[in-house]
Amino acid sequence: MRLSQFHLRTTKETPSDAELISHRLMLRTGMIRKLASGLYTWSPLGLRVLRKVEAVVREEMNRAGAVELLMPTIQPRDLWEETGRWQKFGGQLLKLKDRKEQEFCYAPTAEEVITDFARQELVSYKQLPVNFYQVQTKFRDEIRPRFGVMRAREFLMKDAYSFHLSDEDLEREYRNMHAAYSRIFTRLGLQFRAVLADSGAIGGDASQEFHVLADSGEDAIAFSTASDYAANVEAAQAVEPAPRAAASQTMKKVATPVQKTCEDVAALLDIPLAHTVKSIAVVGNEGFVLVLVRGDHALNEIKLRKVSGLAEHRMASEAEIEEHLGCVPGFLGPLQPRRPIRVIADREVAAMADFVVGANEAGFHLTGVNWGRDLPEPDEVADIRNVVAGDKARDGGEIRLARGIEVGHIFQLGRKYAQAMDATVLDENGKSATLAMGCYGIGVSRIVAAAIEQNHDDNGIVWPLPMAPWQVAVCVINPKNDASVNDAAVALLEQLQQAGWDAVLDDRGLRPGAMFADIELLGIPHRVVVSERGLAAGTYEYRSRSGSESENLDHAALMARLQS
């Protein structure tokens, strides 16, 4: 391929709203162009990278035994009503009507459609197990689309769905997909980590996320120093706290006239923040609840939703706080409420002694508070906090935190969708059996941006070899001045292609500085320069994208260097 015959338009400037480096570099290289908020056109250059990611995904899914199909992006409301997700999925679901006023949605995922397909196509256990997958456009109406294709409204996704007669076979396929995903990200040259995760809106019994490690990642990942344990902070757990110590202080009321946060109270009293307790008032399905976490910890909303009666909850209003606690925010606590309340304590709080809480009186806190003596034991104890760096892991190691970009997610869905949609087959005894399902997604377009976040420098992208738009760029200097230089460059291009390299000829006639800057910006792993001087010496100028120096190599040495 010749760049003179290819559409390529790079720029030096990027829009001010491009916050992430991947967004800036994808715009500067011309890989994407914005059409509207969260909507992007992939240029010929960007599409080359996207297709390379797709190819690896398809090869590994096929190798794992999955079968490709293609489902509609427009899905009827009736299917989503069967599972109850027409309303539950929320504002991300883009709804529309046809000319007959029938309602549809633009697919954000395809559990309903694939389950409908399965209940029509699968009739016997002899057809199981089976795993169907597609590479298809999805749409989720993000409140705030940002970061380019990292959080776009329209994106390319590989989604797969497996069907099984037994839970044991579902677990087997789950492990099979875990292995396939690990091969995909390894082949793409990415540093990644598989982490335990919450199933979220998709639901299911077990799930893991695959994260590309990058400092700019939106997700915090907790991992142990002693094993391969890793989890999203939404699901990560530390060891059980040590048994509660005996009380050693007398409860006292102290004035905290303007100190409303645990940090301010700890500073005033000159005590560690870990000796304070923050009280968070929420309203759940069963009414008012006071949630307690240690002052130096953060409440984990995902974990809190798993507590009975709090699957759907909201922050309490000031009027509700006044009604139940007789106080204003900033001085709340579990002692002497105005009305009986339910108290849920994090495990760490339940193990505390001689701690500090609000006095339910404006301008005051209580010190030396102890369970059993000063206030009743909590109604419920649960793990409802985020882990922090330094926590002890269950394997004996220490919890560390890193940032990651989620690019894949695998779920054991169980029978949630099959039961709702009556997807059954006849088992070995001729009896009707509800199908068990697995779900396995990969953000194909997001992988491209995540790879850039992990692989770049001041000059541009540094693509892993399998993802690069081209693996080798043959740069010809002054091709119009000397036909022999052009002929030599074309000959080298053909030799590289015959040797299996995806190579491109930069014959645009740019000055060397501008041409080399473009090749570095594009992130092409190998650059070979053909020039009059080099021809005279029988050498080519070679430079690796990740290297700092150029080398003059003859043809044999060049081919050996590329192979190495």
Side-chain angles (χ1 to χ4, degrees):
M1 178 176 290
R2 294 170 177 261
L3 284 185
S4 62
Q5 300 171 357
F6 185 83
H7 175 75
L8 179 65
R9 182 170 177 263
T10 61
T11 61
K12 293 183 179 180
E13 305 297 330
T14 56
S16 58
D17 63 345
E19 302 174 48
L20 290 188
I21 189 66
S22 59
H23 192 190
R24 295 199 295 268
L25 288 175
M26 291 182 81
L27 289 171
R28 284 193 58 201
T29 57
M31 291 179 64
I32 57 172
R33 291 291 181 247
K34 184 176 179 179
L35 176 65
S37 177
L39 302 176
Y40 291 88
T41 296
W42 287 77
S43 74
L45 175 72
L47 191 60
R48 286 187 67 86
V49 178
L50 198 63
R51 292 292 183 247
K52 290 197 172 187
V53 175
E54 267 189 74
V56 172
V57 170
R58 277 195 169 91
E59 287 170 14
E60 291 300 337
M61 289 300 294
N62 293 340
R63 175 183 171 187
V67 183
E68 187 171 7
L69 49 57
L70 187 64
M71 292 176 275
T73 57
I74 303 299
Q75 304 178 355
R77 172 176 178 167
D78 292 349
L79 288 182
W80 284 72
E81 290 285 12
E82 287 188 57
T83 61
R85 292 207 299 173
W86 184 256
Q87 298 298 335
K88 287 183 180 179
F89 205 88
Q92 287 189 333
L93 192 62
L94 179 64
K95 301 174 181 178
L96 56 152
K97 294 181 180 180
D98 66 8
R99 66 180 67 192
K100 297 179 181 179
E101 292 297 303
Q102 293 179 320
E103 293 187 272
F104 297 83
C105 66
Y106 194 121
T109 183
E111 283 80 14
E112 282 81 2
V113 173
I114 196 66
T115 305
D116 179 66
F117 179 81
R119 68 183 174 183
Q120 298 180 60
E121 296 291 319
L122 305 178
V123 295
S124 169
Y125 74 96
K126 295 180 180 179
Q127 296 172 273
L128 304 176
V130 64
N131 189 336
F132 298 112
Y133 82 94
Q134 65 172 350
V135 181
Q136 176 67 289
T137 300
K138 300 288 189 296
F139 187 96
R140 294 180 185 175
D141 199 3
E142 295 277 356
I143 295 176
R144 188 186 167 206
R146 53 184 178 155
F147 305 151
V149 300
M150 191 77 78
R151 191 166 289 281
R153 293 194 292 170
E154 183 181 79
F155 53 93
L156 189 65
M157 180 180 179
K158 187 284 301 176
D159 47 324
Y161 309 88
S162 63
F163 296 89
H164 311 267
L165 194 62
S166 68
D167 292 336
E168 293 75 18
D169 195 58
L170 169 57
E171 291 177 10
R172 176 202 57 76
E173 184 63 12
Y174 183 84
R175 293 192 297 270
N176 181 38
M177 285 293 99
H178 186 286
Y181 276 37
S182 297
R183 291 194 301 269
I184 288 169
F185 299 122
T186 299
R187 282 187 57 185
L188 291 174
L190 300 173
Q191 296 178 37
F192 69 96
R193 193 114 191 201
V195 304
L196 299 175
D198 182 77
S199 297
I202 303 299
D205 303 321
S207 72
Q208 284 178 286
E209 295 172 350
F210 287 76
H211 286 259
V212 169
L213 302 180
D215 292 339
S216 59
E218 286 188 280
D219 297 308
I221 300 169
F223 63 93
S224 172
T225 57
S227 70
D228 61 356
Y229 170 80
N232 193 301
V233 290
E234 296 171 349
Q237 294 184 339
V239 296
E240 295 273 354
R244 185 190 302 163
S248 63
Q249 299 177 13
T250 301
M251 185 175 71
K252 297 179 181 178
K253 185 165 73 171
V254 296
T256 52
V258 294
Q259 288 76 19
K260 295 184 177 182
T261 68
C262 288
E263 289 81 1
D264 290 343
V265 171
L268 176 70
L269 302 178
D270 193 23
I271 60 173
L273 184 58
H275 289 183
T276 66
V277 171
K278 66 179 74 170
S279 302
I280 305 165
V282 302
V283 177
N285 300 337
E286 300 170 3
F288 189 90
V289 178
L290 195 64
V291 179
L292 307 179
V293 295
R294 214 168 72 183
D296 60 334
H297 289 160
L299 177 66
N300 186 311
E301 286 285 346
I302 301 297
K303 293 180 180 179
L304 186 61
R305 291 192 191 107
K306 295 180 180 179
V307 175
S308 174
L310 294 179
E312 300 290 337
H313 67 267
R314 60 173 174 80
M315 300 300 292
S317 67
E318 290 197 19
E320 289 167 325
I321 291 172
E322 169 66 26
E323 177 187 355
H324 289 84
L325 300 177
C327 188
V328 295
F331 306 97
L332 308 184
L335 277 76
Q336 299 179 338
R338 178 174 289 179
R339 294 178 56 181
I341 60 171
R342 179 186 178 195
V343 176
I344 298 174
D346 179 67
R347 295 184 309 182
E348 295 286 342
V349 174
M352 292 175 70
D354 300 328
F355 53 89
V356 177
V357 293
N360 282 331
E361 182 179 346
F364 292 93
H365 278 74
L366 298 170
T367 65
V369 178
N370 284 272
W371 295 106
R373 186 192 71 183
D374 305 314
L375 75 166
E377 295 290 339
D379 297 295
E380 188 168 350
V381 177
D383 174 23
I384 54 174
R385 71 171 177 98
N386 287 336
V387 296
V388 296
D391 279 339
K392 294 298 181 183
R394 293 185 170 185
D395 56 17
E398 186 176 284
I399 294 289
R400 300 282 176 82
L401 300 180
R403 306 301 300 181
I405 300 167
E406 183 190 344
V407 291
H409 206 158
I410 58 177
F411 303 84
Q412 291 184 47
L413 294 178
R415 292 171 174 78
K416 171 182 176 180
Y417 294 93
Q419 284 179 341
M421 299 182 67
D422 193 27
T424 62
V425 296
L426 296 179
D427 64 14
E428 299 97 324
N429 301 314
K431 294 183 178 180
S432 180
T434 302
L435 291 166
M437 288 178 60
C439 172
Y440 321 96
I442 283 182
V444 177
S445 50
R446 177 177 267 211
I447 285 175
V448 177
I452 296 173
E453 290 296 326
Q454 193 179 82
N455 300 276
H456 66 271
D457 60 19
D458 292 341
N459 296 321
I461 303 170
V462 185
W463 286 116
L465 191 67
M467 295 181 61
W470 298 280
Q471 297 171 324
V472 184
V474 177
C475 299
V476 54
I477 297 177
N478 295 327
K480 296 180 180 179
N481 293 351
D482 188 337
S484 63
V485 174
N486 186 67
D487 293 343
V490 172
L492 177 61
L493 177 70
E494 293 174 351
Q495 291 163 358
L496 289 168
Q497 291 172 337
Q498 290 170 4
W501 290 94
D502 184 5
V504 66
L505 177 64
D506 192 344
D507 59 344
R508 294 174 295 166
L510 300 179
R511 292 182 178 275
M515 178 166 51
F516 298 161
D518 262 3
I519 298 303
E520 287 198 325
L521 177 65
L522 298 178
I524 299 175
H526 304 287
R527 185 187 78 195
V528 182
V529 179
V530 181
S531 64
E532 293 181 52
R533 181 182 299 176
L535 282 183
T539 62
Y540 305 101
E541 182 184 295
Y542 166 80
R543 183 169 179 177
S544 166
R545 177 62 182 83
S546 57
S548 58
E549 301 292 335
S550 298
E551 303 174 76
N552 292 316
L553 306 173
D554 63 24
H555 187 274
L558 171 66
M559 300 304 283
R561 178 58 55 83
L562 290 172
Q563 290 298 336
S564 67

